Amino acid sequence: MTVEQFDPKNPTSTVQSDIKQTTTLETPAKVLAEQNQTAKHIDNASRIGFVSLGCPKNLVDSERILTQLRTEGYDVVPSYDDADLVIVNTCGFIDSAVQESLDTIGEALKENGKVLVTGCLGAKEDEITEIHPNVLGVTGPHAYEEVLNQVHQHVEKPKHNPFVDLVPEQGVKLTPKHFAYLKISEGCNHRCTFCIIPSMRGDLDSRPIGDVLSEAKRLANAGVKELLVISQDTSAYGVDVKHKTDFWDGMPVKTSMLKLCEELGKMGIWVRLHYVYPYPHVDDVIPLMAEGKILPYLDIPFQHASKRILKLMKRPGNADRTLERIKKWRETCPELVIRSTFIVGFPGETEEEFKELLEFLREAQLDRVGAFAYSPVEGATANELPDQIDEETKQQRLQRFMEVQSEISAAKLQQRIGNEYQVLIDEVNAEGAIGRTYMDAPEIDGLVYLSDEFDVKPGDKIWAQVIHADAHDVWAIKVED
């Protein structure tokens, strides 16, 4: 199921630009189609079409809904024509994502006619029903039971044989078998002025650490080689429950990011941290990376370098302290890779403050960077700030930002040439294998191309030597372990 107006294909780049119009991942649609070909099907079972838009956090919500649908005996199909009903899990993070969600709902109504809407944009029911009054129902994010109840109202619940195992132990996943997202909490306690996620997903709500670790163990036992830890604010994990002690595998475990990382590090698979707010206690996790217990990779959305702009954003920090921390992290763990995201053209941003951001980039030498021009999302308090930046200036600054980071990225990737890295294979096609190193998260970072290498399969880990690089990706040849 695709939407004609948008191309959500994510360029395999260290710099995200206005070319990437939405926050939607492209892997889920491919995986869902593959699963439909191999899944067990029940004759005459009701068929549900499913479209998952948005970020990995939304993707996990989709996986939970699909798992329950499969548990109840529904068939999940990847086309509108074959479906008795279509569910669209929407995104509402930025304006282009909102538009993509509305376009997708419209296409589903046109092609099928029976549509349920859920997800972040579902928190704005009036906005959806004003444009698409014929949708059968609307629910907000992580409303799993409500979605299933609405399905039951409109599509007959299958009479499935309880002796037929329709769901794998790890549940239905919209990622390849060798990696999976592990969501550790919902919501966020911050009130960043550019963000409306708390109004959609609520305040921080940490999952019990025993449940998180049990899920991680099931995934590892099912063959997952890489866990991508996600939440709206991973560093805050456990704050809402005052880091209470839970139990897992018969042992007491404190509900905190550090303890979670320590336990995940014992499972013998790659563990990658995303959306890490730069609290002081992040420093405590770096030694685990240096010891090889979790991947030396940090996804920290710094957002800006100017202290005044950060204050307007209601974000902490300033460039000098951030640079000092990055230096100390790299001293502790020289292999550390840092990914971050930034907003350019924030209301009130002066040319001098933008230049301060560019200088920060040059000083910080971050490995992976995403950039967005400020988007005045409806409901964000930053929209009311004075001195809004015109669109032409935003785009010019975004382009200048990209040029600086591209130079940094190209230089860093040139330094990889001649070095050997462990590569996790994601895909094998007619030209060879494609994979990633510990430095590369799926869909948002670069790739490793192994031309004419066919003696591998997705999920394999091999050693390869880098022989060529551009500003985004590298090319390598397989070497003996």
Side-chain angles (χ1 to χ4, degrees):
M1 303 177 186
T2 59
V3 183
E4 294 178 2
Q5 181 170 339
F6 284 86
D7 177 11
K9 183 175 176 61
N10 189 0
T12 53
S13 168
T14 54
V15 180
Q16 296 169 356
S17 71
D18 54 328
I19 296 172
K20 181 181 184 298
Q21 299 182 68
T22 78
T23 57
T24 296
L25 306 175
E26 68 169 359
T27 298
K30 182 192 299 184
V31 172
L32 188 58
E34 292 172 351
Q35 288 178 353
N36 185 64
Q37 294 177 355
T38 59
K40 298 175 182 177
H41 297 278
I42 299 176
D43 292 338
N44 301 318
S46 300
R47 295 168 295 184
I48 307 297
F50 203 97
V51 183
S52 183
L53 306 175
C55 66
K57 296 180 286 293
N58 218 39
L59 180 65
V60 173
D61 291 345
S62 295
E63 291 174 340
R64 291 180 179 176
I65 295 170
L66 289 171
T67 296
Q68 188 57 38
L69 286 170
R70 291 289 295 168
T71 299
E72 294 186 0
Y74 290 97
D75 263 352
V76 179
V77 296
S79 68
Y80 296 122
D81 294 340
D82 296 332
D84 297 306
L85 177 147
V86 176
I87 300 173
V88 180
N89 193 4
T90 59
C91 178
F93 180 56
I94 56 177
D95 284 349
S96 55
V98 170
Q99 187 61 50
E100 181 191 28
S101 294
L102 292 172
D103 288 345
T104 303
I105 295 166
E107 181 176 279
L109 285 168
K110 177 182 176 182
E111 298 295 330
N112 182 276
K114 299 180 68 176
V115 179
L116 293 176
V117 178
T118 188
C120 287
L121 189 59
K124 299 181 178 181
E125 181 175 354
D126 292 344
E127 184 173 334
I128 294 171
T129 55
E130 180 180 356
I131 298 174
H132 300 300
N134 294 327
V135 295
L136 298 177
V138 179
T139 55
H142 52 88
Y144 319 120
E145 292 185 6
E146 294 177 61
V147 173
L148 267 295
N149 287 338
Q150 289 186 351
V151 171
H152 298 158
Q153 293 174 23
H154 298 285
V155 180
E156 183 180 0
K157 190 173 181 179
K159 298 177 181 180
H160 92 272
N161 184 345
F163 297 103
V164 177
D165 187 9
L166 298 173
V167 182
E169 182 183 359
Q170 73 274 18
V172 175
K173 293 294 175 185
L174 294 177
T175 50
K177 293 180 180 179
H178 60 279
F179 72 81
Y181 294 101
L182 181 69
K183 185 156 67 169
I184 63 174
S185 66
E186 295 284 358
C188 182
N189 286 343
H190 298 290
R191 296 297 183 264
C192 300
T193 58
F194 56 81
C195 182
I196 59 173
I197 295 300
S199 66
M200 293 179 172
R201 291 184 171 266
D203 291 335
L204 178 69
D205 183 11
S206 298
R207 293 179 60 196
I209 193 167
D211 292 354
V212 174
L213 291 171
S214 294
E215 181 181 349
K217 191 65 176 179
R218 288 195 300 271
L219 290 168
N221 290 341
V224 167
K225 305 293 181 64
E226 177 183 13
L227 285 176
L228 299 105
V229 178
I230 58 169
S231 66
Q232 198 62 36
D233 179 2
T234 294
S235 313
Y237 178 63
V239 168
D240 56 315
V241 295
K242 299 180 179 179
H243 300 301
K244 72 175 182 179
T245 297
D246 196 3
F247 287 86
W248 180 68
D249 203 21
M251 299 292 292
V253 185
K254 185 179 180 181
T255 308
S256 71
M257 183 177 74
L258 178 61
K259 292 300 180 182
L260 175 65
C261 290
E262 288 177 348
E263 295 301 324
L264 292 175
K266 298 175 183 178
M267 296 187 182
I269 58 178
W270 283 7
V271 176
R272 190 183 301 276
L273 301 182
H274 285 284
Y275 316 120
V276 178
Y277 208 87
Y279 295 119
H281 67 258
V282 173
D283 298 356
D284 300 330
V285 177
I286 306 301
L288 297 179
M289 298 179 176
E291 296 165 9
K293 294 181 179 178
I294 63 175
L295 292 182
Y297 179 103
L298 270 181
D299 181 353
I300 298 186
F302 292 123
Q303 304 297 6
H304 213 279
S306 164
K307 188 173 183 178
R308 190 184 77 88
I309 294 297
L310 287 169
K311 185 175 181 180
L312 290 174
M313 291 179 170
K314 291 192 176 179
R315 300 283 296 186
N318 61 53
D320 290 340
R321 290 177 184 168
T322 299
L323 289 170
E324 182 180 346
R325 292 186 73 191
I326 291 173
K327 180 181 178 181
K328 290 182 177 179
W329 292 343
R330 287 172 171 161
E331 288 173 351
T332 302
C333 182
E335 297 82 14
L336 178 65
V337 163
I338 302 175
R339 151 169 275 280
S340 190
T341 51
F342 295 87
I343 297 173
V344 302
F346 191 79
E349 181 190 62
T350 65
E351 175 65 18
E352 290 72 24
E353 287 166 331
F354 176 68
K355 288 180 178 177
E356 183 180 350
L357 174 58
L358 296 184
E359 185 57 31
F360 172 82
L361 281 183
R362 296 185 182 100
E363 290 288 330
Q365 292 288 300
L366 302 176
D367 302 88
R368 301 295 192 187
V369 170
F372 296 91
Y374 173 74
S375 176
V377 180
E378 182 181 353
T381 57
N383 298 341
E384 308 304 319
L385 291 173
D387 303 319
Q388 297 282 325
I389 309 298
D390 64 87
E391 196 61 35
E392 182 179 358
T393 301
K394 289 180 190 177
Q395 295 305 320
Q396 288 176 349
R397 289 179 180 175
L398 179 60
Q399 186 63 36
R400 290 161 62 192
F401 181 101
M402 291 169 57
E403 290 172 357
V404 170
Q405 182 57 35
S406 291
E407 292 176 3
I408 294 170
S409 174
K412 279 182 165 287
L413 293 186
Q414 286 296 313
Q415 295 172 7
R416 293 198 202 180
I417 295 176
N419 295 336
E420 296 180 5
Y421 300 96
Q422 191 174 50
V423 177
L424 178 61
I425 302 299
D426 283 333
E427 179 184 353
V428 181
N429 59 28
E431 297 180 356
I434 304 173
R436 296 174 290 107
T437 70
Y438 79 88
M439 296 174 269
D440 312 305
E443 298 223 38
I444 58 173
D445 291 333
L447 297 171
V448 179
Y449 292 97
L450 297 108
S451 301
D452 298 322
E453 180 58 61
F454 303 102
D455 192 24
V456 292
K457 61 183 183 300
D460 285 349
K461 287 182 179 178
I462 65 170
W463 283 90
Q465 182 182 48
V466 176
I467 59 173
H468 176 71
D470 61 17
H472 312 302
D473 308 307
V474 301
W475 283 254
I477 55 173
K478 184 179 178 181
V479 298
E480 296 300 322
D481 292 356

